[in-house]
Amino acid sequence: LLPGRRWRSWWWRPMALPAWLQPRYRKTAYLFIYYLIQFCGHSWILTNMTVRFFSFGKDSMVDTFYAIGLVMRLCQSISLLELLHIYVGIESNHLFPRFLQLTERIVILFVVITSQEEIQEKYVVCVLFIFWNLLDMARYTYSMLSVIGTYYSVLTWLSQTLWMPIYPLCVLAEAFAIYQSLPYFESFGTYSTKLPFDFSIYFPYVLRLYLMMLFIGKANVICQKICIK
């Protein structure tokens, strides 16, 4: 009986977890997988836009949203997890600037562009997607490698300086996209609604107010980035 007991105790002995599944490595593994998913998504978007541009020229800019809009919306939706990362402390960043940046992108992408097919064909959508992807490619590549302790001086320099010329251009592109969408929101009455007691919400006025808040929010984010650097 003793050998059988020994065999059973050996058989039921718990197996050791792989290193990347051990508690002290779970945070690193999770962040690496998250950054890898974002990197793959934005790499596909940028590659697709580049190939289409060299194949079809300016005509490819008209249907950019139809070609990559789904993947872009998926990547931006997943990026909302970063607010949770910062809140629980697994990612070191400032919550409010990141909240402003994600909120602005969600509003521009889902409210302004997705809801108006006429805007989806504008050149500003292609330009805006290029700016977003350049920033995210540099940031997610740097974050993905830094999680595993790998650093490259060129990549570090890009992640810390690329936003300086591109971020103001993003502000202008986002503001121009809102400006171009105003006539369509006025014509179709999208999101405009009547409330009881003779009150109503006229969405173009909301967008004009948001346009002013956009510049204030972007200025706050830029100040926060400069203070951090």
Side-chain angles (χ1 to χ4, degrees), residues 83-209:
L83 298 178
L84 181 62
H85 297 170
I86 300 172
Y87 180 76
V88 300
I90 64 175
E91 184 178 345
S92 58
N93 208 332
H94 291 274
L95 181 61
F96 186 65
R98 192 65 184 136
F99 171 78
L100 289 177
Q101 184 178 8
L102 290 176
T103 302
E104 290 159 0
R105 288 193 180 188
I106 293 298
V107 170
I108 297 296
L109 181 59
F110 287 92
V111 178
V112 175
I113 299 177
T114 303
S115 65
Q116 301 295 332
E117 294 185 3
E118 292 78 7
I119 295 297
Q120 297 169 11
E121 300 176 354
K122 302 294 185 181
Y123 288 159
V124 66
V125 175
C126 180
V127 174
L128 187 58
F129 283 4
I130 290 175
F131 289 155
W132 284 356
N133 273 277
L134 289 176
L135 291 175
D136 288 338
M137 282 289 296
R139 183 168 66 90
Y140 286 124
T141 305
Y142 172 79
S143 299
M144 179 179 63
L145 295 178
S146 64
V147 163
I148 58 177
T150 303
Y151 299 93
Y152 296 99
S153 57
V154 175
L155 189 58
T156 302
W157 178 80
L158 281 175
S159 66
Q160 295 178 353
T161 59
L162 185 63
W163 66 271
M164 295 180 182
I166 294 182
Y167 209 76
L169 296 176
C170 282
V171 179
L172 296 177
E174 291 172 3
F176 190 66
I178 294 176
Y179 174 77
Q180 285 193 318
S181 70
L182 288 176
Y184 302 106
F185 280 104
E186 292 173 353
S187 300
F188 302 127
T190 310
Y191 301 128
S192 297
T193 182
K194 291 184 178 181
L195 301 176
F197 306 106
D198 295 330
F199 287 103
S200 62
I201 297 177
Y202 189 56
F203 195 70
Y205 289 161
V206 177
L207 278 181
R208 289 187 178 95
L209 178 62

Side-chain angles (χ1 to χ4, degrees), residues 45-56:
I45 292 173
L46 194 60
T47 302
N48 188 294
M49 293 179 66
T50 303
V51 172
R52 286 171 53 81
F53 180 78
F54 283 107
S55 299
F56 306 106

Side-chain angles (χ1 to χ4, degrees), residues 1-16:
L1 294 176
L2 185 59
R5 291 180 179 177
R6 290 179 178 176
W7 181 82
R8 284 194 297 270
S9 63
W10 174 84
W11 176 260
W12 294 106
R13 185 180 303 169
M15 300 295 291

